Amino acid sequence: AQSVTQLGSHVSVSEGALVLLRCNYSSSVPPYLFWYVQYPNQGLQLLLKYTSAATLVKGINGFEAEFKKSETSFHLTKPSAHMSDAAEYFCAVSDASGGSYIPTFGRGTSLIVHP
Amino acid sequence: EAGVVQSPRYKIIEKKQPVAFWCNPISGHNTLYWYRQNLGQGPELLIRYENEEAVDDSQLPKDRFSAERLKGVDSTLKIQPAELGDSAVYLCASSLDAGTSGGDYNEQFFGPGTRLTVL
């Protein structure tokens, strides 16, 4: 069975500071991993994905994540936070069971950016 | 290109009343998903359609929830009767299919959701 744990329901940073959102996964087979962003009253948007290619994945809006198999982690980072980054971020895992890639989502981390 | 369209955006009903949500996926997307997102949680899959066929409905509470996707395009999710615990955001998503095409993952595109409040 696959699962995701996001450490910290809320993360608060100052504008311009480093953003680090933590995600650990559990999967019985090599997984696909995803980060989604959800702005208020909107659906989820895919930020980036890991699909067994390069372990450092670059996504939209300056975000990137690194797949570390030994740590079963897929933390999301951004060097410098913008006010517009304030949103809910979801980590998700899929083990492609049965040939489909239905993600299992974590509980989400709310990113708060202070001026 | 239009994204996934959902309506209504908000719905407030009293318990035991019926309610229905509608979803129009991105044109050409064969796979359609309904998710439920409880407050402070990530989305959880309720049902997945491949064209007209429901291929994964193991998480759909079948005593009160039903869904259909006539002609393999639009879909409707219904709750009858609604309970207090059904208050949540119901998200619809679509993708080309649920696997990969040409070795690349087929991204799911999400609609804005319907926020249901049951009083």
Side-chain angles (χ1 to χ4, degrees):
Chain A
Q2 55 192 28
S3 66
V4 162
T5 301
Q6 291 185 241
L7 300 177
S9 59
H10 295 83
V11 170
S12 181
V13 300
S14 298
E15 192 173 18
L18 171 71
V19 175
L20 171 61
L21 304 183
R22 299 179 185 273
C23 172
N24 289 89
Y25 70 90
S26 173
S27 175
S28 58
V29 299
Y32 280 26
L33 293 160
F34 313 89
W35 275 100
Y36 287 81
V37 61
Q38 185 177 33
Y39 297 101
N41 299 315
Q42 294 187 27
L44 279 70
Q45 180 183 6
L46 183 65
L47 269 179
L48 50 80
K49 62 182 184 287
Y50 166 76
T51 57
S52 73
T55 57
L56 182 62
V57 180
K58 294 186 183 299
I60 61 173
N61 300 338
F63 284 94
E64 63 181 35
E66 185 173 8
F67 171 67
K68 292 186 177 181
K69 184 178 179 180
S70 61
E71 299 177 7
T72 61
S73 69
F74 191 57
H75 302 331
L76 182 70
T77 61
K78 182 174 180 178
S80 176
H82 294 169
M83 296 296 291
S84 60
D85 294 327
E88 192 81 14
Y89 291 80
F90 293 93
C91 182
V93 62
S94 172
D95 63 7
S97 58
S100 63
Y101 297 88
I102 313 303
T104 297
F105 291 88
R107 296 169 65 104
T109 297
S110 178
L111 177 63
I112 302 163
V113 182
H114 296 288
Chain B
E1 177 182 312
V4 176
V5 179
Q6 291 188 247
S7 69
R9 292 294 312 277
Y10 304 91
K11 188 73 175 180
I12 301 174
I13 61 171
E14 293 188 348
K15 62 181 180 181
K16 301 185 181 179
Q17 294 299 306
V19 65
F21 315 123
W22 175 81
C23 173
N24 179 242
I26 292 174
S27 177
H29 281 191
N30 298 320
T31 306
L32 184 146
Y33 315 76
W34 282 103
Y35 288 89
R36 178 168 58 189
Q37 185 177 16
N38 293 314
L39 186 65
Q41 304 285 329
E44 295 178 326
L45 182 69
L46 290 175
I47 188 169
R48 172 169 64 99
Y49 281 92
E50 297 290 345
N51 298 303
E52 298 177 352
E53 182 182 1
V55 297
D56 183 357
D57 63 355
S58 58
Q59 300 303 311
L60 190 71
K62 299 181 182 61
D63 57 336
R64 297 183 299 106
F65 285 66
S66 64
E68 60 183 10
R69 191 184 184 196
L70 300 178
K71 302 182 180 179
V73 181
D74 294 1
S75 178
T76 302
L77 178 68
K78 298 178 181 178
I79 308 174
Q80 183 172 11
E83 298 179 352
L84 295 177
D86 296 331
S87 294
V89 175
Y90 291 83
L91 294 166
C92 179
S94 70
S95 64
L96 284 173
D97 62 42
T100 60
S101 297
D104 195 16
Y105 166 75
N106 286 321
E107 179 181 347
Q108 292 185 20
F109 292 85
F110 285 80
T114 297
R115 182 177 297 277
L116 173 67
T117 301
V118 182
L119 303 176

